[in-house]
Amino acid sequence: MDAVTPLVRVQEAGFDLAAETARLSEGRVDVGGIASFVGVCRGDDGLSALVLEHYPGMTERALTKIAAEACARWPLTGCTVIHRVGRILPGEGIVLVLTASAHRAAALESCAFLIDWLKTGAPFWKREEFTGGGSRWVEAKASDDAASARWQLGR
Amino acid sequence: MKILYFAWVRQRIGLAEEEVSPPAEVRDVAGLVAWLATRGPGHATAFADPRQVRAAVNQDFAPPDAPVAPGDEVAFFPPVTGG
């Protein structure tokens, strides 16, 4: 199996789940399963938009490092991480993680690992904007730290 | 030394980035925070509780005792909230 080069993108535009999924199996017959996670913007409590800020350069580096770690821990045939920045409306996708492997366990576990790790390991900041004006920065959650820390055990 | 600010740290300071020449006794991230906090009221507000501010040196996350040197790119920001 050739070494896997993860596809990592940070972009303002939306993403196409079907097209990105198809990309991981096209032209090959060794893929047995593709796991996906799509983070979606909720419209709770009068939220009108999320505004995502990032650290150009470091963000791409951090995501690439996390994706490479997933490829080192699990036998993946492909891996895609797309994270949006800028203004995102309720119902729109924020982040896409796809992992492909010969077998489901590797795909499902690595997908969960990637989303847990990128929440705490990549420089993005969310600001919530509300209908009727006003905005606030989202605070980091201790539960996200715990979710990412569990991957340091075992394996 | 190039300093970058993100999210509410940037808003409180009123700058996205600045070029600074800290005195020689500033040798690590914590020392740099203490020195930057004296540069103005916005800086003082942003760094009032250094435990709420995270740092990166040359685009890698860095703890308070990480060394800093002339020519480094040092960034300050709140705990990250992506995903």
Side-chain angles (χ1 to χ4, degrees):
Chain A
M1 191 166 70
D2 293 338
V4 174
T5 305
L7 187 157
V8 170
R9 290 208 307 263
V10 177
Q11 61 186 38
E12 288 194 15
F15 46 76
D16 182 340
L17 172 61
E20 297 301 336
T21 305
R23 190 201 300 274
L24 289 176
S25 61
E26 78 194 2
R28 58 195 302 169
V29 293
D30 58 343
V31 178
I34 301 172
S36 64
F37 178 84
V38 180
V40 179
C41 175
R42 286 193 314 269
D44 297 351
D45 306 324
L47 183 135
S48 57
L50 274 181
V51 181
L52 265 285
E53 182 172 332
H54 76 302
Y55 182 171
M58 178 174 169
T59 303
E60 290 82 352
R61 263 179 58 162
L63 291 179
T64 301
K65 213 164 123 183
I66 294 165
E69 175 71 20
C71 292
R73 289 196 191 195
W74 288 275
L76 302 183
T77 57
C79 169
T80 299
V81 178
I82 301 175
H83 205 302
R84 291 182 62 198
V85 292
R87 177 169 273 95
I88 295 167
L89 303 177
E92 292 183 356
I94 304 169
V95 58
L96 170 68
V97 175
L98 295 174
T99 49
S101 183
H103 301 288
R104 70 182 184 280
L108 289 167
E109 286 174 18
S110 60
C111 187
F113 163 85
L114 279 163
I115 192 66
D116 283 347
W117 266 81
L118 74 81
K119 271 187 166 293
T120 57
F124 292 98
W125 301 275
K126 287 193 186 100
R127 189 163 49 82
E128 297 172 324
E129 291 184 347
F130 298 96
T131 51
S135 72
R136 68 170 180 224
W137 292 99
V138 174
E139 284 184 33
K141 292 195 207 83
S143 58
D144 286 341
D145 286 333
S148 103
R150 77 195 166 102
W151 296 101
Q152 288 164 2
L153 306 172
R155 295 202 82 85
Chain B
M1 193 180 291
K2 185 181 183 183
I3 312 291
L4 304 177
Y5 304 114
F6 293 98
W8 57 251
V9 177
R10 170 179 52 75
Q11 286 185 325
R12 287 178 193 178
I13 290 175
L15 289 172
E17 62 177 88
E18 59 182 329
E19 198 65 42
V20 301
S21 303
E25 59 265 30
V26 170
R27 291 190 190 87
D28 58 18
V29 168
L32 183 59
V33 166
W35 180 75
L36 287 170
T38 65
R39 285 174 64 83
H43 290 75
T45 309
F47 292 116
D49 183 359
R51 288 168 306 178
Q52 293 187 30
V53 179
R54 301 289 181 271
V57 176
N58 299 324
Q59 303 195 353
D60 280 317
F61 290 107
D65 62 354
V68 295
D72 282 348
E73 176 177 301
V74 185
F76 294 100
F77 42 77
V80 302
T81 55

